[in-house]
Amino acid sequence: MSSFAKPTTPGDKTMKKLLSSLLAAAALVTFAIAPAHAQADKPKDKVTLMLNWYLYSEHAPFFLGREKGFYADEGIDLEIQEGRGSAVTAQAVAAKSATFGYIDVTTMIKAAAKGAPLKSTGVLFQVSPMSVMGFSEKNIKVPKDIIGKTVAVTPGDSMSQMWPLFLKVNNIKPEQVKIVSGDGQTKLNAVINGQADLLLGYVMDQAIKLQDATGKPVTPIRFADSGVNQISSGIIANKNLLTENPDLVKRFMRASTKAAEAAEKSPEAAVDAMLKANPKAGVRDTLIVGMKQSVALYHTKETANQRPFRVAMKNVNDSLDLLVQYGGMDPSTRGKPEDYVTLDFLP
């Protein structure tokens, strides 16, 4: 008996083509999804970020980044720890008890110049927050208004070291201003109680504390507006981490950059994320004021169109000059900006 194959119709050919296409598409989807599942299942790197101080406005972006999943998306399980001063955090990062630090970068530079294995991977505050400030009702708005007034300072801190330069640049003689000394709380009390007209403080810190304590508006006169500008807060890391795990550093800085950008767009959301994580971080309304003031410090004219953390090396160089002249840095250890700050890990 003869055997005959069933004739193939045009409809059968069309069906086979359709079936082949569907199978190919399914295979592509399988391959596309597989890496995503693998990434999701992969254990995240535990990372500790130690801050420079107790929580206040400028720290909010890191909480926003964590809440939005920017760090998780980079395979990072982020723990944020409060600090007890930039110097203490620098020691913790040098000792590898914290993965990254968020501190005053000039403090790190002084430590690194003396041999600490530290480097900054990005500077967030490129305009100095250093200010002389008082209640707006005193009508002290520009440097010349300071003449004849009483200013509360903390001897030996970074602001008191820059104060003589601020006076010189603004043609004010030291004897034209009366000085009272005390620690941070004493300075605040002196202005609140009327024993001093002004204090030296950070625009997004002490200004907010004065406003919180009294309900009165505060007018800061920023050092940077008179040409006395040092780089300030930024991320630091142990130099060993930069060579041993550069990929982690890149992922961390990528997430932190996104966090800062999100905070620029919505300071309110950043503050809410921080308060959600720590309800005792402060008063929402004044934290938002502080966050907006913090965002204003993210860029200089040179970096206006750059993403956060990407500081101009000229700014770093100028800060080194100020440290040598007024910050007690040994000229022989000054080095170059690239010795202390790298942009290689930024997105």
Side-chain angles (χ1 to χ4, degrees):
M1 181 183 287
S2 300
S3 175
F4 295 95
K6 186 181 177 183
T8 302
T9 67
D12 290 335
K13 289 182 179 178
T14 303
M15 185 61 71
K16 284 182 180 178
K17 282 184 180 179
L18 181 61
L19 212 57
S20 297
S21 298
L22 287 172
L23 287 169
L28 284 172
V29 169
T30 303
F31 282 118
I33 292 175
H37 283 311
Q39 178 65 27
D41 294 338
K42 186 181 177 182
K44 289 182 170 56
D45 292 307
K46 290 192 176 295
V47 167
T48 301
L49 171 66
M50 183 177 283
L51 305 173
N52 52 348
W53 197 242
Y54 301 102
L55 294 182
Y56 59 96
S57 300
E58 70 168 299
H59 304 137
F62 300 109
F63 290 92
L64 181 61
R66 190 172 68 179
E67 181 179 88
K68 282 184 169 289
F70 296 155
Y71 293 97
D73 289 345
E74 296 290 351
I76 292 172
D77 179 10
L78 180 65
E79 178 189 355
I80 304 171
Q81 294 181 352
E82 291 185 314
R84 298 297 180 268
S86 290
V88 175
T89 299
Q91 290 169 2
V93 176
K96 299 185 179 180
S97 55
T99 323
F100 296 97
Y102 175 75
I103 69 169
D104 173 56
V105 176
T106 59
T107 299
M108 182 225 74
I109 288 174
K110 287 196 260 188
K114 294 177 181 176
L118 299 170
K119 199 163 192 174
S120 173
T121 52
V123 179
L124 188 57
F125 278 17
Q126 299 171 14
V127 178
S128 172
M130 293 181 185
S131 307
V132 56
M133 62 187 70
F135 293 124
S136 301
E137 64 190 26
K138 296 252 181 193
N139 207 34
I140 304 170
K141 298 178 179 178
V142 295
K144 66 180 180 61
D145 296 335
I146 297 167
I147 295 173
K149 301 299 191 292
T150 300
V151 181
V153 308
T154 299
D157 71 2
S158 56
M159 287 172 288
S160 67
Q161 291 173 21
M162 291 297 114
W163 176 242
L165 179 59
F166 174 80
L167 294 178
K168 183 178 180 180
V169 167
N170 289 287
N171 298 311
I172 301 172
K173 296 177 181 177
E175 59 268 24
Q176 291 180 296
V177 181
K178 183 181 178 183
I179 298 295
V180 295
S181 300
D183 62 17
Q185 189 58 50
T186 302
K187 286 193 301 187
L188 291 168
N189 291 341
V191 173
I192 291 169
N193 298 330
Q195 298 164 310
D197 302 294
L198 304 152
L199 62 79
L200 297 188
Y202 281 0
V203 66
M204 72 299 163
D205 185 7
Q206 283 83 0
I208 303 303
K209 288 175 180 173
L210 279 177
Q211 187 172 316
D212 269 353
T214 64
K216 296 180 180 180
V218 173
T219 299
I221 301 171
R222 298 192 315 187
F223 285 21
D225 294 332
S226 295
V228 183
N229 186 40
Q230 276 189 315
I231 56 173
S232 187
S233 302
I235 300 294
I236 69 163
N238 192 297
K239 285 182 178 179
N240 290 338
L241 181 67
L242 306 186
T243 54
E244 292 169 3
N245 198 345
D247 178 63
L248 174 62
V249 182
K250 285 183 179 179
R251 286 185 281 127
F252 179 81
M253 292 310 302
R254 193 157 52 225
S256 297
T257 298
K258 289 179 183 176
E261 288 173 331
E264 283 184 296
K265 290 177 183 174
S266 181
E268 296 85 358
V271 166
D272 288 341
M274 183 168 70
L275 287 172
K276 185 177 178 181
N278 190 331
K280 295 181 179 179
V283 179
R284 183 178 187 270
D285 288 345
T286 46
L287 284 173
I288 290 171
V289 172
M291 188 61 238
K292 289 178 179 178
Q293 291 175 337
S294 295
V295 165
L297 306 175
Y298 283 6
H299 304 280
T300 60
K301 285 183 291 186
E302 293 84 359
T303 63
N305 298 317
Q306 300 282 345
R307 299 182 76 180
F309 292 104
R310 192 169 284 277
V311 67
M313 283 300 178
K314 180 186 180 299
N315 197 351
V316 181
N317 194 63
D318 292 344
S319 296
L320 287 173
D321 287 342
L322 287 173
L323 284 173
V324 170
Q325 293 175 45
Y326 300 96
M329 187 178 189
D330 186 337
S332 67
T333 65
R334 180 193 185 279
K336 306 183 297 295
E338 293 79 9
D339 296 332
Y340 304 105
V341 178
T342 176
L343 308 181
D344 293 345
F345 300 92
L346 292 173

